[in-house]
mmCIF file with all atom_site columns, all heavy atoms in Angstrom:
data_model
loop_
_atom_site.group_PDB
_atom_site.id
_atom_site.type_symbol
_atom_site.label_atom_id
_atom_site.label_alt_id
_atom_site.label_comp_id
_atom_site.label_asym_id
_atom_site.label_entity_id
_atom_site.label_seq_id
_atom_site.pdbx_PDB_ins_code
_atom_site.Cartn_x
_atom_site.Cartn_y
_atom_site.Cartn_z
_atom_site.occupancy
_atom_site.B_iso_or_equiv
_atom_site.pdbx_formal_charge
_atom_site.auth_seq_id
_atom_site.auth_comp_id
_atom_site.auth_asym_id
_atom_site.auth_atom_id
_atom_site.pdbx_PDB_model_num
ATOM 1  N N   . ASN A 1 386 ? -19.652 -171.778 8.321  1.00 0.00 ? 386 ASN A N   1
ATOM 2  C CA  . ASN A 1 386 ? -18.348 -172.150 7.794  1.00 0.00 ? 386 ASN A CA  1
ATOM 3  C C   . ASN A 1 386 ? -17.202 -171.679 8.672  1.00 0.00 ? 386 ASN A C   1
ATOM 4  O O   . ASN A 1 386 ? -16.066 -172.047 8.422  1.00 0.00 ? 386 ASN A O   1
ATOM 5  C CB  . ASN A 1 386 ? -18.222 -171.629 6.376  1.00 0.00 ? 386 ASN A CB  1
ATOM 6  C CG  . ASN A 1 386 ? -19.048 -172.432 5.390  1.00 0.00 ? 386 ASN A CG  1
ATOM 7  O OD1 . ASN A 1 386 ? -19.364 -173.560 5.646  1.00 0.00 ? 386 ASN A OD1 1
ATOM 8  N ND2 . ASN A 1 386 ? -19.360 -171.803 4.279  1.00 0.00 ? 386 ASN A ND2 1
ATOM 9  N N   . ASP A 1 387 ? -17.534 -170.833 9.615  1.00 0.00 ? 387 ASP A N   1
ATOM 10 C CA  . ASP A 1 387 ? -16.430 -170.262 10.521 1.00 0.00 ? 387 ASP A CA  1
ATOM 11 C C   . ASP A 1 387 ? -16.136 -171.324 11.593 1.00 0.00 ? 387 ASP A C   1
ATOM 12 O O   . ASP A 1 387 ? -16.298 -171.110 12.781 1.00 0.00 ? 387 ASP A O   1
ATOM 13 C CB  . ASP A 1 387 ? -16.898 -168.952 11.104 1.00 0.00 ? 387 ASP A CB  1
ATOM 14 C CG  . ASP A 1 387 ? -15.842 -168.392 12.031 1.00 0.00 ? 387 ASP A CG  1
ATOM 15 O OD1 . ASP A 1 387 ? -14.668 -168.658 11.811 1.00 0.00 ? 387 ASP A OD1 1
ATOM 16 O OD2 . ASP A 1 387 ? -16.215 -167.724 13.049 1.00 0.00 ? 387 ASP A OD2 1
ATOM 17 N N   . ASN A 1 388 ? -15.599 -172.464 11.169 1.00 0.00 ? 388 ASN A N   1
ATOM 18 C CA  . ASN A 1 388 ? -15.326 -173.589 12.080 1.00 0.00 ? 388 ASN A CA  1
ATOM 19 C C   . ASN A 1 388 ? -14.391 -174.532 11.432 1.00 0.00 ? 388 ASN A C   1
ATOM 20 O O   . ASN A 1 388 ? -14.393 -174.713 10.212 1.00 0.00 ? 388 ASN A O   1
ATOM 21 C CB  . ASN A 1 388 ? -16.657 -174.339 12.415 1.00 0.00 ? 388 ASN A CB  1
ATOM 22 C CG  . ASN A 1 388 ? -16.532 -175.144 13.650 1.00 0.00 ? 388 ASN A CG  1
ATOM 23 O OD1 . ASN A 1 388 ? -16.106 -176.281 13.584 1.00 0.00 ? 388 ASN A OD1 1
ATOM 24 N ND2 . ASN A 1 388 ? -16.823 -174.535 14.812 1.00 0.00 ? 388 ASN A ND2 1
ATOM 25 N N   . SER A 1 389 ? -13.533 -175.192 12.254 1.00 0.00 ? 389 SER A N   1
ATOM 26 C CA  . SER A 1 389 ? -12.564 -176.061 11.652 1.00 0.00 ? 389 SER A CA  1
ATOM 27 C C   . SER A 1 389 ? -13.099 -177.461 11.289 1.00 0.00 ? 389 SER A C   1
ATOM 28 O O   . SER A 1 389 ? -12.547 -178.210 10.545 1.00 0.00 ? 389 SER A O   1
ATOM 29 C CB  . SER A 1 389 ? -11.338 -176.249 12.640 1.00 0.00 ? 389 SER A CB  1
ATOM 30 O OG  . SER A 1 389 ? -11.817 -176.779 13.815 1.00 0.00 ? 389 SER A OG  1
ATOM 31 N N   . PHE A 1 390 ? -14.307 -177.808 11.879 1.00 0.00 ? 390 PHE A N   1
ATOM 32 C CA  . PHE A 1 390 ? -14.921 -179.093 11.560 1.00 0.00 ? 390 PHE A CA  1
ATOM 33 C C   . PHE A 1 390 ? -15.789 -178.985 10.302 1.00 0.00 ? 390 PHE A C   1
ATOM 34 O O   . PHE A 1 390 ? -16.190 -177.914 9.933  1.00 0.00 ? 390 PHE A O   1
ATOM 35 C CB  . PHE A 1 390 ? -15.749 -179.597 12.739 1.00 0.00 ? 390 PHE A CB  1
ATOM 36 C CG  . PHE A 1 390 ? -14.960 -179.943 14.014 1.00 0.00 ? 390 PHE A CG  1
ATOM 37 C CD1 . PHE A 1 390 ? -14.893 -179.113 15.043 1.00 0.00 ? 390 PHE A CD1 1
ATOM 38 C CD2 . PHE A 1 390 ? -14.273 -181.161 13.998 1.00 0.00 ? 390 PHE A CD2 1
ATOM 39 C CE1 . PHE A 1 390 ? -14.186 -179.423 16.146 1.00 0.00 ? 390 PHE A CE1 1
ATOM 40 C CE2 . PHE A 1 390 ? -13.544 -181.488 15.143 1.00 0.00 ? 390 PHE A CE2 1
ATOM 41 C CZ  . PHE A 1 390 ? -13.491 -180.621 16.217 1.00 0.00 ? 390 PHE A CZ  1
ATOM 42 N N   . GLY A 1 391 ? -16.112 -180.129 9.805  1.00 0.00 ? 391 GLY A N   1
ATOM 43 C CA  . GLY A 1 391 ? -17.012 -180.156 8.618  1.00 0.00 ? 391 GLY A CA  1
ATOM 44 C C   . GLY A 1 391 ? -17.648 -181.542 8.399  1.00 0.00 ? 391 GLY A C   1
ATOM 45 O O   . GLY A 1 391 ? -17.365 -182.218 7.418  1.00 0.00 ? 391 GLY A O   1
ATOM 46 N N   . LEU A 1 392 ? -18.476 -181.907 9.384  1.00 0.00 ? 392 LEU A N   1
ATOM 47 C CA  . LEU A 1 392 ? -19.070 -183.271 9.320  1.00 0.00 ? 392 LEU A CA  1
ATOM 48 C C   . LEU A 1 392 ? -20.397 -183.222 8.597  1.00 0.00 ? 392 LEU A C   1
ATOM 49 O O   . LEU A 1 392 ? -20.581 -183.657 7.480  1.00 0.00 ? 392 LEU A O   1
ATOM 50 C CB  . LEU A 1 392 ? -19.167 -183.834 10.697 1.00 0.00 ? 392 LEU A CB  1
ATOM 51 C CG  . LEU A 1 392 ? -19.369 -185.340 10.815 1.00 0.00 ? 392 LEU A CG  1
ATOM 52 C CD1 . LEU A 1 392 ? -18.309 -186.130 10.051 1.00 0.00 ? 392 LEU A CD1 1
ATOM 53 C CD2 . LEU A 1 392 ? -19.387 -185.742 12.260 1.00 0.00 ? 392 LEU A CD2 1
#
Side-chain angles (χ1 to χ4, degrees):
N386 286 336
D387 179 29
N388 197 273
S389 61
F390 292 103
L392 195 54

